[in-house]
Amino acid sequence: MSEYTVLLYSDDAAVRDRIRLAIGTRPAADLKVEFAEASTWEECRRLLDEYEIDLMMLDGEATPAGGIGIARQTKDEYLNPPPTCVVIARAADRWLAAYAQVDATLVAPLDPVTTGQTVAGLLRARRDGAIPLGTLGTIPR
């Protein structure tokens, strides 16, 4: 079984709790996750610098830095950033997430089945060497 670290970002602890509960510690039988939490962009940056983060789950409604902006900034500032999934309030915001090169979006309120499938797909793709959207990552040899 593979173990991964998922960074949860939101300025609201209740939103981080809802995302964590929707994912669970075992989003699929072959995957186990642990969580790192951040409530600011600065905390996200510190966690990215100090730990091996396998997936960023970002609150698109967070303030003052929204998840879509953090996703884009991460892609711009890190050579090999983790994949990003942004939780948005309106399905109509998917175009903005696509413009920011977000790897996946989920619409709140989160459905645990869809959330688990999305997280599992992103983590398996990372395990298998997929390069996140909008990055200059290297192709594994």
Side-chain angles (χ1 to χ4, degrees), residues 31-50:
L31 303 172
K32 183 176 180 185
V33 298
E34 63 179 12
F35 298 97
E37 294 190 29
S39 61
T40 66
W41 165 235
E42 292 75 21
E43 288 176 6
C44 285
R45 184 180 282 128
R46 183 184 58 78
L47 290 167
L48 286 167
D49 290 343
E50 295 178 7

Side-chain angles (χ1 to χ4, degrees), residues 17-99:
D17 287 343
R18 285 194 292 273
I19 295 171
R20 182 185 313 100
L21 288 172
I23 296 170
T25 58
R26 300 281 304 270
D30 61 325
L31 303 172
K32 183 176 180 185
V33 298
E34 63 179 12
F35 298 97
E37 294 190 29
S39 61
T40 66
W41 165 235
E42 292 75 21
E43 288 176 6
C44 285
R45 184 180 282 128
R46 183 184 58 78
L47 290 167
L48 286 167
D49 290 343
E50 295 178 7
Y51 299 97
E52 179 67 30
I53 301 296
D54 299 297
L55 173 65
M56 294 178 71
M57 292 292 296
L58 308 168
D59 176 7
E61 304 303 309
T63 60
I68 292 173
I70 286 178
R72 180 57 195 222
Q73 194 162 352
T74 301
K75 305 272 179 144
D76 288 347
E77 292 184 10
Y78 289 85
L79 182 60
N80 291 305
T84 56
C85 180
V86 177
V87 178
I88 55 178
R90 296 164 302 281
D93 288 340
R94 282 194 172 113
W95 74 270
L96 186 57
Y99 180 75

Side-chain angles (χ1 to χ4, degrees), residues 100-121:
Q101 299 175 336
V102 168
D103 297 282
T105 57
L106 292 166
V107 178
L110 295 175
D111 170 56
V113 173
T114 303
T115 302
Q117 290 170 343
T118 300
V119 167

